[in-house]
Amino acid sequence: MSKYYTMKIAGYERKLEKFPVSDKLDIAAFIIFGDVELTIAGCEALLKKVPEFDVIITPEAKSIPIAYEMARQSGKPYVIARKGVKVYMRNPLEVSVNSITTKNTQKLYLGESEVSMLKGKKVLVVDDVISTGESLAAARKLVKDAGGIEVAACAFLAEGDAAERDDIIFLEKLPLFFK
């Protein structure tokens, strides 16, 4: 079995290295950090597919470049659901998340100022890859708890069964690799 999976995203070919998740499953790791050309092109392509929105929310950390670039191209603000409470976060909202790429349960937080940015606004949920949907569910709960109105959820890639979902917008399908 090849150590890499090659795919095209927004017109750019990328080799994604495979990593084991279990004895029976490998995933191809999509890491957008440092890939400026793909970030710009992919965000441009995603923005053509999503409905009108007021603000973007993304979970920390791998999708931050995507949220930033979509915000830059659209002129709309973005907020980050943080993995830890920072000293400057007053009255944080909290949700738990179990992601396929993280070994332990994590929590995501929004501070009072981020909550005020979402309240009553049309919110676009942005991620890099949607797989099990756990991070997406946590971000959606934060939007709801903050009083925001989710208009869509999007990602560069939908992994495995997520590609069959009709409640997400994505650029390409990313297969799972069963052994």
Side-chain angles (χ1 to χ4, degrees), residues 12-60:
Y12 292 91
E13 189 173 288
R14 293 295 183 264
K15 284 175 58 174
L16 308 182
E17 188 172 358
K18 293 180 189 175
F19 292 93
V21 174
S22 70
D23 293 347
K24 298 179 182 184
L25 176 67
D26 287 354
I27 61 170
F30 176 67
I31 311 296
I32 196 71
F33 291 135
D35 196 337
V36 175
E37 128 185 294
L38 180 57
T39 301
I40 292 168
C43 290
E44 187 176 303
L46 263 183
L47 283 168
K48 290 176 182 173
K49 298 177 88 167
V50 299
E52 184 63 34
F53 63 92
D54 299 316
V55 63
I56 294 166
I57 185 172
T58 196
E60 194 172 40

Side-chain angles (χ1 to χ4, degrees), residues 76-134:
K76 306 287 174 78
Y78 73 101
V79 299
I80 300 167
R82 304 298 301 263
K83 289 182 179 175
V85 176
K86 306 300 179 188
V87 295
Y88 52 80
M89 296 171 78
R90 288 186 178 84
N91 304 312
L93 288 180
E94 171 189 313
V95 297
S96 294
V97 60
N98 292 301
S99 169
I100 192 172
T101 56
T102 306
K103 290 189 186 246
N104 301 315
T105 298
Q106 293 185 325
K107 294 188 183 289
L108 292 177
Y109 302 91
L110 287 178
E112 204 170 71
S113 60
E114 290 82 14
V115 168
S116 67
M117 288 178 67
L118 299 179
K119 188 172 185 174
K121 299 290 198 277
K122 294 183 286 186
V123 182
L124 178 65
V125 180
V126 172
D127 211 341
D128 59 337
V129 179
I130 296 173
S131 186
T132 62
E134 293 295 323

Side-chain angles (χ1 to χ4, degrees), residues 58-71:
T58 196
E60 194 172 40
K62 289 190 320 184
S63 55
I64 292 172
I66 297 169
Y68 167 82
E69 182 60 22
M70 288 180 79

Side-chain angles (χ1 to χ4, degrees), residues 141-174:
K141 182 163 178 17
L142 281 175
V143 170
K144 183 179 179 188
D145 291 353
I149 303 144
E150 180 192 334
V151 295
C154 67
F156 273 32
L157 305 176
E159 185 174 51
D161 292 342
E164 306 308 317
R165 295 175 64 153
D166 61 5
D167 65 329
I168 61 172
I169 297 165
F170 59 93
L171 297 178
E172 299 296 335
K173 296 177 184 183
L174 180 60

